[in-house]
Amino acid sequence: MSFKPSLFEERRHRLIEQLPDRSIALLFAGRAPYMSGDHAYHPFHVNRNFYYLTGIPQENSALLLTKLAGETSETLLTERVDPVEEKWTGKRLTETEASSISGVTKAVDIAELESTIGDLLSGGQYETLYLDMEVDSWKQTETEAHRFAAVFQKKYPTIALRNPYALITRMRAIKDQAEIDAIRHAIGVTKNGLHHMLTHAKPGMKEYQLEAYFNFALRYEGVSEHAFPPIIAAGERATILHYVNNDGIAEDGDLVLCDLGAAHLGYSADISRTFPVNGTFSPRQRQLYNIVLKAMDAAFAIIRPGVTRADLLSAVRASYGRDLREIGLIENDDDISRYFYHGVSHRLGLDTHDVGPDHVPFQKGDIITVEPGLYIAEEGIGIRIEDDVLITDDGFVNLSDDIPKQADEIEAWMKMQPLM
Ligand SMILES: [Mn+2]
């Protein structure tokens, strides 16, 4: 599976339509940061907005769009192929290859970026440069776009600078069919990885050994992309939300929480499952596990366009309020936060916590996670169950519905044969 160039053409067209006349847009792919010696940080992921509009996965590239008197143009800037350099660092995309991926027909050597922009501006007809600075934040590390902006503003103080980040991320929030298919694929790979892990799990294993079974299944299928580093947390460590050390032992009687995902063509899966490492939930574990499942169903019961993330959280908390009081774990709803202390949903896409406007209700085409959890440190139990769902016209489709989730299904899954 790969993306068709028409997909990127259509996205660029939609972006350019939203830009005012007399404007230029420039998006950098970015470059891998220097690490040490003669090494940079690799693998390197290009800027996601750049990728969304071009499909080009290669660093040191840029996309240049112009709009003037109703006429638009597109130029892709890439590194000129250097046969000697390639003997060391591997193949670069040729102009023809880059063009057949992105659908941009005009190619320019990235070394000519300044002169290309200079030529455009020499006629005095452009008023605005849209430069993708990513999210505006004090904490943002300096990017190529920041460095370019500093030089550019000195040379062209009368040209306005604007950040197209909000425009592009609003587009990215609503997924098209190709993106839905990519995420479905990533979820399928993730399911196979989980199968491999669960069918090999035994008490006494290190968390990283469980992780290795997951990674093996991915790599065996040729998958090298993880959406994020897998979280494999047994016992009390599962109550630490972003635990990534994965170096503890999953003892007999422990529940193991895993939160992980493969990626496909840059698109993330984000799945959590919790299983008893010895293959059987204890009565107490099953009771708590079912309370989390019930909270998840409370969220599923209301998901459709117009509903907000806050609504999902309220539904989950209401469910916990009833059930945790019933088992005597809490006395009033304020105590829920002692055992459940995170949000219940985020967007999913090219970023695992995907971009888009905040505080807007779900719309058709959103892909979101649903992930209630329950963390009882004093009992050494952490549970999280997470599915990925697509918002439709009148409800949702659970994209990860075929990954076992009921306690009985999990136990049966663990008894199955490994796939490989
Ligand atoms: Mn998640």
Side-chain angles (χ1 to χ4, degrees), residues 124-286:
Q125 305 200 73
Y126 288 97
E127 292 173 345
T128 312
L129 175 67
Y130 281 82
L131 187 62
D132 185 9
M133 311 287 285
E134 304 187 34
V135 62
D136 289 311
S137 155
W138 273 113
K139 290 187 201 155
Q140 162 84 315
T141 48
E142 197 189 60
T143 65
E144 238 179 321
H146 288 88
R147 288 188 286 277
F148 185 87
V151 176
F152 182 84
Q153 276 192 307
K154 242 185 180 159
K155 292 209 186 282
Y156 298 98
T158 62
I159 305 280
L161 270 183
R162 293 269 181 280
N163 189 356
Y165 182 81
L167 287 178
I168 301 168
T169 52
R170 208 171 300 144
M171 289 169 59
R172 278 175 55 188
I174 304 300
K175 271 63 182 179
D176 51 42
Q177 191 57 49
E179 295 178 290
I180 296 165
D181 293 344
I183 291 176
R184 268 191 193 279
H185 186 105
I187 291 169
V189 173
T190 305
K191 181 189 176 184
N192 290 347
L194 275 168
H195 184 110
H196 200 60
M197 186 203 294
L198 265 67
T199 51
H200 282 91
K202 280 195 267 312
M205 273 184 180
K206 292 278 200 175
E207 292 155 346
Y208 56 71
Q209 292 172 325
L210 294 166
E211 180 188 353
Y213 281 113
F214 178 77
N215 292 342
F216 177 88
L218 266 57
R219 203 64 198 108
Y220 195 80
E221 293 187 77
V223 176
S224 52
E225 286 182 273
H226 281 75
F228 54 92
I231 297 167
I232 314 288
E236 193 189 337
R237 291 178 296 281
T239 64
I240 303 160
L241 296 183
H242 286 172
Y243 172 80
V244 288
N245 293 346
N246 298 353
D247 59 359
I249 295 173
E251 306 277 10
D252 195 0
D254 277 351
L255 283 182
V256 180
L257 183 161
C258 34
D259 185 343
L260 34 74
H264 183 64
L265 298 172
Y267 285 83
S268 297
D270 185 3
I271 301 292
S272 301
R273 288 293 183 268
T274 304
F275 64 92
V277 72
N278 64 13
T280 311
F281 286 90
S282 73
R284 176 61 169 174
Q285 287 168 348
R286 186 177 278 259

Side-chain angles (χ1 to χ4, degrees), residues 259 270 346 353 369 371 386:
D259 185 343
D270 185 3
H346 58 81
H353 292 173
T369 64
E371 46 179 312
E386 176 177 27

